[in-house]
Amino acid sequence: MSNEKTKQGIIRTVLGDIEPAELGVTNYHEHLFQVSPLLKGDELDDEELSSKEASALKDSGFDVMVDATPLGLGGRPEALARISKATGLKIVATTGRHRQEHYGADHWVRDFSLGQLEQRLIADLTQGLALSESDSKIATAPAEGVDSVRAGILKAGIGYWSIDSFERQTLDAVGASHAATGAPIMIHLEFGTAAHEVLDILEGLSVPASSVALAHADRNLDSGLHCSLIERGAYLGYDGMARAKNRSDQELLTLTREVVEKVGSSRILIGGDVARRTRYIAYGGIPGLAYLGQRYLPRLRDEIGDSHVEAITRSNPALWLSWKI
């Protein structure tokens, strides 16, 4: 790992490592490719259409996106690299595992021992993501035009107030992989639950809260909870906009203002997590990836001011995405 330690502070994109100052305006959570049994009919699996959606995100004012699709859900690292080159959008890829409901009973990601999973995640981060997901070995053929496509973050998912044995194994592997590499971590929280409990587990694995982004924290509108998580040092992922059947954008804006007024904006990240073909304009749906930049961010600026939005979209993701060794 000695060569990794010389990379202290870098951010790892699909086209190579960059300095944090090079990052730019960042959407911390989207998906360009994703196939899950929980999302039948909503598969993201067309490179041309996903590239068009990435272009729309870039045109809406974002320089960077994290593609948060972990192992076994239709990720295509070589296509991410091609899309990044074609659109100019910087992309950070993900390794790890989602909560177990995203995988069928005979899915290959269920076959890992803890040691094998750790080995796979570390290899994805340091050597390159396998081009064939069903092969647990690292692919030898790099994506066209790049030396390799390496993951830049680790991800684990848990259930609603639940951390089963599958998910605990993923957390253990993610913690060990972070210790070996310093890579940042994203945790999927189902409806924003069990946030402190996850941080307790990761703390026991020597993972500092400052390396962790809690995705979907805003599915729980409890600003007091959010402040306590921020005071602990974690990053909160706000990604629930354009979901009026669950909560209005105004409720999210109000939550953000309340949190900023109490503890500041230094631990908030923002993304769309649109994640469905029926919600991507390029696939024939709405509102698309441009919604965040075109419709939501102007309202957020009115709610909390330019300096806080600058922190949420630039400086916070640059700190979170920087490898910590």
Side-chain angles (χ1 to χ4, degrees):
M1 301 304 300
S2 59
N3 64 327
E4 286 302 307
K5 292 184 179 180
T6 66
K7 298 290 188 181
Q8 184 172 1
I10 58 88
I11 293 171
R12 183 150 289 168
T13 79
V14 296
L15 296 182
D17 295 347
I18 63 174
E19 296 295 324
E22 300 176 70
L23 193 65
V25 178
T26 301
N27 179 323
Y28 101 101
H29 190 159
E30 298 291 357
H31 300 265
L32 292 179
F33 297 98
Q34 181 171 257
V35 177
S36 167
L38 293 185
L39 302 170
K40 290 182 179 178
D42 261 326
E43 295 82 4
L44 298 172
D45 55 7
D46 186 299
E47 182 174 343
E48 180 180 356
L49 298 180
S50 291
S51 184
K52 288 181 180 178
E53 204 68 29
S55 291
L57 179 64
K58 182 74 162 61
D59 292 343
S60 74
F62 283 92
D63 304 305
V64 189
M65 66 160 277
V66 175
D67 183 281
T69 302
L71 289 173
L73 296 180
R76 295 176 58 188
E78 75 285 4
L80 293 180
R82 287 192 292 267
I83 289 171
S84 183
K85 289 185 70 175
T87 64
L89 182 72
K90 301 182 186 77
I91 299 174
V92 177
T94 299
T95 189
R97 289 194 311 198
H98 216 308
R99 62 190 182 96
Q100 69 165 326
E101 285 81 2
H102 279 281
Y103 305 105
D106 59 350
H107 198 292
W108 58 269
V109 302
R110 294 179 178 271
D111 295 336
F112 288 111
S113 68
L114 176 58
Q116 289 170 334
L117 184 57
E118 291 173 9
Q119 183 180 27
R120 172 64 185 264
L121 301 188
I122 292 170
D124 286 349
L125 291 162
T126 62
Q127 299 177 42
L129 289 153
L131 302 191
S132 173
E133 275 212 327
S134 61
D135 184 355
S136 64
K137 298 178 182 178
I138 299 304
T140 57
E144 182 180 353
V146 294
D147 293 333
S148 63
V149 181
R150 294 180 290 180
I153 72 164
L154 293 152
K155 183 176 181 179
I158 66 166
Y160 176 71
W161 281 118
S162 172
I163 304 171
D164 62 26
S165 59
F166 176 91
E167 293 156 1
R168 178 56 198 254
Q169 184 192 60
T170 306
L171 288 170
D172 287 343
V174 162
S177 300
H178 169 83
T181 64
I185 295 170
M186 177 189 291
I187 303 295
H188 166 98
L189 302 178
E190 193 73 1
F191 298 106
T193 61
H196 278 297
E197 289 74 10
V198 166
L199 292 179
D200 288 343
I201 289 172
L202 292 174
E203 184 178 274
L205 299 169
S206 299
V207 177
S210 58
S211 291
V212 180
L214 300 170
H216 320 315
D218 59 337
R219 305 302 202 268
N220 183 338
L221 295 172
D222 184 345
S223 62
L225 170 64
H226 290 215
C227 291
S228 70
L229 293 167
I230 287 172
E231 288 168 346
R232 192 165 178 174
Y235 288 93
L236 302 187
Y238 289 180
D239 48 40
M241 54 288 302
R243 289 172 171 82
K245 69 178 182 179
N246 302 117
R247 66 200 61 77
S248 69
D249 282 2
Q250 184 56 58
E251 288 177 285
L252 300 183
L253 292 165
T254 300
L255 168 70
T256 308
R257 175 173 48 76
E258 290 176 352
V259 172
V260 168
E261 287 175 349
K262 292 175 181 176
V263 294
S265 57
S266 65
R267 283 292 189 271
I268 300 173
L269 306 169
I270 196 166
D273 189 27
V274 182
R276 286 156 178 66
R277 70 187 299 132
T278 52
R279 303 185 73 225
Y280 275 52
I281 291 173
Y283 283 85
I286 50 176
L289 290 187
Y291 180 93
L292 183 61
Q294 293 177 348
R295 303 284 291 278
Y296 188 82
L297 280 186
R299 295 183 64 186
L300 185 62
R301 291 183 187 279
D302 289 342
E303 194 80 29
I304 63 174
D306 289 345
S307 63
H308 290 301
V309 172
E310 186 78 0
I312 290 168
T313 59
R314 285 183 183 269
S315 55
N316 296 353
L319 287 169
W320 168 57
L321 288 169
S322 297
W323 291 35
K324 300 302 189 292
I325 285 186

